[in-house]
Amino acid sequence: MGDHRAKEALFDVLVEAARALGNGRRAELVDVLAQGERSVEELAVEISQSVANTSQHLQRLLRAGVISSRRSGTRIYYSLAGPAVERLWRALRETAEAHAGELGALALSYLGDRTSLGTINRDELQRRLKQGDVVVLDVRPRPEYDAAHIPGALSVPVDHLKARLSQIPEGRDIVAYCRGSYCVYADDAVRELSDDGRRAMRLEEGFPEWKAAGLPVESAT
Amino acid sequence: MGDHRAKEALFDVLVEAARALGNGRRAELVDVLAQGERSVEELAVEISQSVANTSQHLQRLLRAGVISSRRSGTRIYYSLAGPAVERLWRALRETAEAHAGELGALALSYLGDRTSLGTINRDELQRRLKQGDVVVLDVRPRPEYDAAHIPGALSVPVDHLKARLSQIPEGRDIVAYCRGSYCVYADDAVRELSDDGRRAMRLEEGFPEWKAAGLPVESAT
DNA sequence: TTCTTATTCAAGTAGGTTCTTGAATAACAC
DNA sequence: GTGTTATTCAAGAACCTACTTGAATAAGAA
């Protein structure tokens, strides 16, 4: 038994990644980085924080081994450190879901009422993609589409959707997807498409889950 | 887009479980509870903290949905809230391992030099158990063995090992297991058994991983 | 070189966390 | 009822965190 000092030190280190993820803004950063690498300024915009604050959060995540960075000219690009981090972030969301607690009410107030939205899961989408009777829209911001997307998906960031409605092929069902179940972009897109009289539904989860399931992925060279 | 207040609130809640796990003492509690339910006082002893402090940590974990409690007479027993928590705790350890960083040095100082210890993995242990050419020792504290253990394992808590050396069947290899890779009990047992001239090795991971892999489990009564 | 842009650093303030101590409950035995 | 044991609550001291502001680097362009 003995050395409880060394044991404490060991567990204090094991827990560093949890401390890093234990902040809403840093969790938002990880959720965005799960889509692909991004620069500091882009990330600051995504999480609605100052660049200085975002930089400090990123450094905390970096020290904890949750993300890694590379320099390209004057910009620094951050990305998730590896698949263990993706599993960690997923397990965290699942733990929160299992707890229910306030989560339901908060999700409702952020995501709105989802009961009327049609959904489709990964396996079925994959089948219908093979049959070719479906149009897939990637409604995430453009840099995330460029980093990687579902093969054949069209990039239509949700804030450009209204202007580009006419360019979306007709005669087939539309499936919109975004970052994951806590992302509103696909919901908003499905509502807008439905209002326009199109048959639209959202992919149940998001791109990271598609990729993690080992399904095919395409990226802009 | 729209309501970044509601988004912040949502992520703040998603992250509650990470904050709860983001403390070495609470992580130790989770590591013990992964073996089975325990009372407050038992847990306080395990993590070398006062009962009042342990109680406060437990309540924090409870509020975050990481553990659950049941009362039995004058005692309150805590246990992990569900399988998502086990995955969370595992992903956290894996993230720390992938980062390396200080972890290596700290693990060495707490666990000692492991290079000379023989190990065996789950699959091989299961095969040798079927052949019956191996003695399995559960060297965790007794309440953890009582909660659940590998079928056929003998309970020999590591601090009783010296006194019970003579009771361990001879002529077969010995495999000791405990809580997991960051638990020293099996290491200490293997060293002691080797010093006594027995052929001994440790199970690579611990009981929770055995159980999570869907392998058979046995419990007292 | 100087200018520009992206990022990081440093210092300060408001608020949160951890552990301690001693008192308060809650269930049970007598 | 009283006494006993297990657990929780409350208040306080030392320390850590999150965000702000303004200055400092570092790479590249002119």
Side-chain angles (χ1 to χ4, degrees), chain B residues 16-211:
Chain B
E16 267 306 307
R19 305 181 66 112
L21 267 169
N23 170 280
R25 255 33 65 217
R26 289 195 291 268
E28 289 186 55
L29 288 171
V30 168
D31 198 46
V32 173
L33 290 174
Q35 317 299 319
E37 66 170 19
R38 301 295 288 275
S39 70
V40 179
E41 213 210 326
E42 288 176 319
L43 290 166
V45 171
E46 288 290 351
I47 69 167
S48 311
Q49 297 290 316
S50 72
V51 169
N53 193 24
T54 303
S55 171
Q56 283 173 137
H57 280 311
L58 288 166
Q59 281 165 81
R60 177 96 199 249
L61 289 165
L62 190 63
R63 262 182 277 125
V66 171
I67 62 178
S68 54
S69 67
R70 79 180 171 88
R71 175 154 227 150
S72 168
T74 159
R75 283 200 179 83
I76 293 178
Y77 289 92
Y78 286 93
S79 53
L80 291 197
V85 175
E86 289 166 33
R87 288 196 293 275
L88 179 57
W89 174 225
R90 176 158 350 170
L92 192 54
R93 281 173 296 158
E94 286 169 358
T95 302
E97 281 157 24
H99 182 34
E102 312 166 85
L103 187 60
L106 277 164
L108 186 67
S109 101
Y110 175 52
L111 301 168
D113 181 12
R114 278 177 155 176
T115 52
S116 65
L117 298 174
T119 61
I120 181 174
N121 65 28
R122 279 201 296 277
D123 298 331
E124 190 163 357
L125 174 55
Q126 210 193 6
R127 212 177 55 242
R128 295 193 60 178
L129 266 173
K130 277 181 189 141
Q131 290 173 218
D133 70 338
V134 76
V135 177
V136 180
L137 298 190
D138 184 321
V139 296
R140 298 175 299 166
R142 184 72 202 216
E144 299 176 22
Y145 175 87
D146 289 342
H149 54 261
I150 294 179
L154 304 175
S155 172
V156 186
V158 69
D159 39 336
H160 300 153
L161 177 58
K162 198 155 263 164
R164 297 183 46 192
L165 273 175
S166 60
Q167 298 167 36
I168 297 166
E170 309 215 4
R172 284 180 289 170
D173 287 359
I174 300 172
V175 173
Y177 73 87
C178 56
R179 291 174 179 162
S181 3
Y182 293 103
C183 173
V184 287
Y185 298 156
D187 291 19
D188 291 348
V190 168
R191 290 198 185 91
E192 214 160 305
L193 289 160
S194 301
D195 289 350
D196 192 53
R198 313 287 307 257
R199 265 177 62 91
M201 55 200 130
R202 70 162 283 154
L203 180 61
E204 274 168 10
E205 304 205 281
F207 178 76
E209 289 81 12
W210 175 276
K211 191 178 169 192

Side-chain angles (χ1 to χ4, degrees), chain A residues 85-95 122 205 208-209 212-213:
Chain A
V85 175
E86 290 167 31
R87 287 195 295 274
L88 179 57
W89 175 225
R90 176 158 351 168
L92 191 54
R93 283 174 296 159
E94 287 169 357
T95 301
R122 280 200 297 274
E205 304 205 280
E209 290 81 12

